Amino acid sequence: MNRLKDTVLKPVGDQFDRLTELILRQLSITRQLLAGNSSAELRDELNRNESAIDGLEVSIRDEVVNVIVLHAPRASNLRIIMACYDTTSNLERIGDLIHNVYEFTGGTAVSTGLYRRKSDGLLKMFDLAADMVKNVIFAMNCSDERLAREVIRSDDRVDEWWRRISGELKSTGTQRTLTAEEMEGMLSIFGIANNLERIGDQATNIAEAVIFVTEGKDIKHTDKNLL
């Protein structure tokens, strides 16, 4: 097993580490954009990182397939390898969702009064989702099933913010006729919150993979109160 990890899996591990670094950087950049930083340099970096993430996802998945075909790993190693394969897809999806959030911060929508009134809630929701991603990456690197379970339970808080923000938007839209500017702001807020909720879902999927690797248990669809 040590030989497999030290030789065959090292290229996968190196690329995987780079992938997680880029995801964390994307979160940092997007947090700044949501808070009102309109730096063109940050936007350019975010777009470059998105392309790098897509490339790493393809490379890692190809490398994993090669390991399976060429080395026929045993069951315990295969479980780790397949979790890496699935988690790579989850991380790439998180990258896509972060980029979606970034796209909703473009244009004039973020300067509308409606957006500014909802920005504090969006930032709190973003921080919760970002913490889930950061913690699940740590749990994955340290094989920390306790932290992975905390990540899964944290998803309820992200979902709560999603219901709160979307409910407030629906209420605003039914109380009176909105101006074109307000409608643009509403669509941006809804899009950001929706993508943040989905980031939490992807982090939960990774946490479930961590528990599968460390304990050999498939806890998908398990009541969170029983974790």
Side-chain angles (χ1 to χ4, degrees):
M1 177 168 176
N2 289 336
R3 181 179 179 280
L4 180 71
K5 292 174 65 177
D6 294 340
T7 58
V8 177
L9 291 181
K10 188 176 187 305
V12 176
D14 291 343
Q15 292 182 82
F16 197 82
D17 288 344
R18 178 57 180 158
L19 176 61
T20 58
E21 289 172 4
L22 286 172
I23 292 295
L24 294 176
R25 177 57 183 162
Q26 295 292 76
L27 287 170
S28 175
I29 293 173
T30 305
R31 179 61 167 77
Q32 295 178 64
L33 294 174
L34 277 177
N37 189 331
S38 58
S39 167
E41 289 79 9
L42 285 178
R43 292 180 181 275
D44 289 342
E45 181 185 351
L46 190 142
N47 284 320
R48 290 195 303 272
N49 290 346
E50 171 66 9
S51 296
I53 288 169
D54 290 342
L56 282 167
E57 191 251 353
V58 173
S59 180
I60 292 170
R61 287 166 65 90
D62 287 348
E63 192 69 41
V64 167
V65 171
N66 287 337
V67 169
I68 294 173
V69 171
L70 296 176
H71 299 278
R74 294 181 178 179
S76 58
N77 288 335
L78 183 61
R79 190 167 69 222
I80 295 172
I81 293 168
M82 292 309 301
C84 177
Y85 187 90
D86 291 339
T87 298
T88 296
S89 295
N90 294 136
L91 287 170
E92 190 274 336
R93 187 60 185 143
I94 288 174
D96 287 343
L97 295 168
I98 294 171
H99 197 268
N100 290 346
V101 171
Y102 147 73
E103 289 184 332
F104 280 111
T105 67
T108 60
V110 294
S111 64
T112 63
L114 180 62
Y115 182 91
R116 287 194 297 271
R117 289 194 297 274
K118 301 296 184 184
S119 62
D120 286 347
L122 281 177
L123 288 173
K124 289 176 182 177
M125 186 179 181
F126 180 91
D127 289 341
L128 285 171
D131 283 346
M132 287 183 68
V133 175
K134 294 172 186 176
N135 288 338
V136 83
I137 288 174
F138 184 87
M140 184 170 49
N141 289 334
C142 299
S143 299
D144 189 336
E145 66 273 15
R146 180 193 61 80
L147 183 56
R149 283 183 163 80
E150 288 183 12
V151 169
I152 294 171
R153 288 190 287 266
S154 295
D155 191 41
D156 285 342
R157 298 171 64 195
V158 175
D159 290 344
E160 182 180 339
W161 270 104
W162 162 239
R163 289 190 295 269
R164 177 177 174 179
I165 291 173
S166 60
E168 289 175 353
L169 291 176
K170 291 175 183 176
S171 177
T172 299
T174 57
Q175 289 174 354
R176 59 183 174 82
T177 302
L178 301 178
T179 66
E181 181 185 71
E182 288 174 326
M183 183 62 71
E184 184 179 6
M186 177 181 285
L187 291 174
S188 292
I189 295 165
F190 188 89
I192 290 168
N194 178 250
N195 279 279
L196 292 176
E197 190 272 336
R198 293 163 68 191
I199 287 172
D201 290 343
Q202 293 297 322
T204 296
N205 292 340
I206 297 173
E208 291 171 348
V210 172
I211 293 171
F212 178 66
V213 168
T214 55
E215 299 182 2
K217 297 179 181 177
D218 184 352
I219 63 165
K220 291 181 180 179
H221 312 302
T222 299
D223 188 332
K224 294 176 183 177
N225 294 322
L226 301 177
L227 294 176

